Amino acid sequence: MNVTERNAQMRAAMTRIRFKGAAVAAASVAMAVVLTACGGDGGSDDAEGGQKKPDSSASEKPEASDAEESADPSVVLASVKGPDGVDVVINSAQRDSGGFVTVKGSVKNGSQQQFAAQGWQGNEQEMVGNGASVAGASLVDQTGKKRYLALRDTDGRCLCTKFTTGIAPGATAPFFVQFPAPPAGTTDVDFQLPTMPTASIKISG
């Protein structure tokens, strides 16, 4: 083999080596891209929509607040009987540190028809979302000559029980309603609910 043939073979061998090297490098880059796409840390959930997926173990329903819990039925501050066999029992009137009073009790429907608290929502302008509720309740301080109406949220909905499906005949349902607190020295007030007699109660706390 002469020098010319030997040089030609060497150039061909070098070309094959360079080609294999380029192929290996390209394969390495492709593999790195695949690993990056498959091995993400979940950040795409934040990037798309701005929220992570909810934890399936988390509760979907918030717990009831203290105001919504039933009062002790063995304690009766007042009991009044209304028309059509409807009875209201007040079990507690608790002054809270937030500057309000929470009244709790129960309503018994002694009639033969579904009770929808007709008229109990009051006649104020903020009627949205207050149907079939005790939104029309009030506390009256006879000494201070002031009336305290049921508290509302920013949408005008009362901070009180809403009987969304009414009360069935013979059934009893708990209720609560929150008011601005009278002065600290005021303990004796009247609880008034449309269509029902006035109930004199004592505020505790």
Side-chain angles (χ1 to χ4, degrees):
M1 181 181 296
N2 56 34
V3 174
T4 301
E5 291 175 344
R6 186 179 296 111
N7 289 339
Q9 290 180 353
M10 291 179 64
R11 284 195 298 272
M14 291 298 294
T15 299
R16 287 194 297 271
I17 291 173
R18 285 195 296 270
F19 177 78
K20 290 181 180 179
V24 170
S28 298
V29 171
M31 183 62 69
V33 171
V34 171
L35 291 175
T36 300
C38 296
D41 60 0
S44 60
D45 284 339
D46 288 334
E48 296 181 8
Q51 293 182 348
K52 293 184 178 180
K53 294 179 180 178
D55 185 355
S56 60
S57 63
S59 174
E60 296 181 357
K61 184 178 181 181
E63 296 181 358
S65 66
D66 292 340
E68 294 172 321
E69 294 177 357
S70 300
D72 183 357
S74 65
V75 178
V76 177
L77 299 184
S79 177
V80 293
K81 295 182 179 295
D84 302 323
V86 175
D87 298 338
V88 173
V89 175
I90 300 174
N91 303 114
S92 69
Q94 182 69 40
R95 187 188 300 271
D96 297 292
S97 59
F100 51 87
V101 171
T102 301
V103 175
K104 297 180 183 180
S106 62
V107 179
K108 181 178 180 180
N109 180 13
S111 72
Q112 301 299 315
Q113 299 177 345
Q114 191 84 355
F115 179 67
Q118 186 67 31
W120 285 15
Q121 73 273 15
N123 55 7
E124 295 182 67
Q125 296 298 319
E126 296 92 345
M127 299 294 291
V128 178
N130 290 328
S133 73
V134 291
S138 62
L139 289 182
V140 178
D141 175 9
Q142 297 289 359
T143 302
K145 300 185 183 303
K146 288 186 178 180
R147 179 185 296 273
Y148 299 89
L149 303 179
L151 291 171
R152 262 67 166 172
D153 62 17
T154 55
D155 294 323
R157 295 178 174 84
C158 78
L159 301 184
C160 67
T161 295
K162 300 174 182 63
F163 306 107
T164 54
T165 59
I167 303 175
T172 299
F175 79 89
F176 82 93
V177 56
Q178 293 182 322
F179 304 93
T186 301
T187 57
D188 296 317
V189 294
D190 291 336
F191 178 81
Q192 296 184 346
L193 191 60
T195 76
M196 300 294 293
T198 298
S200 296
I201 59 176
K202 186 177 291 290
I203 298 174
S204 60

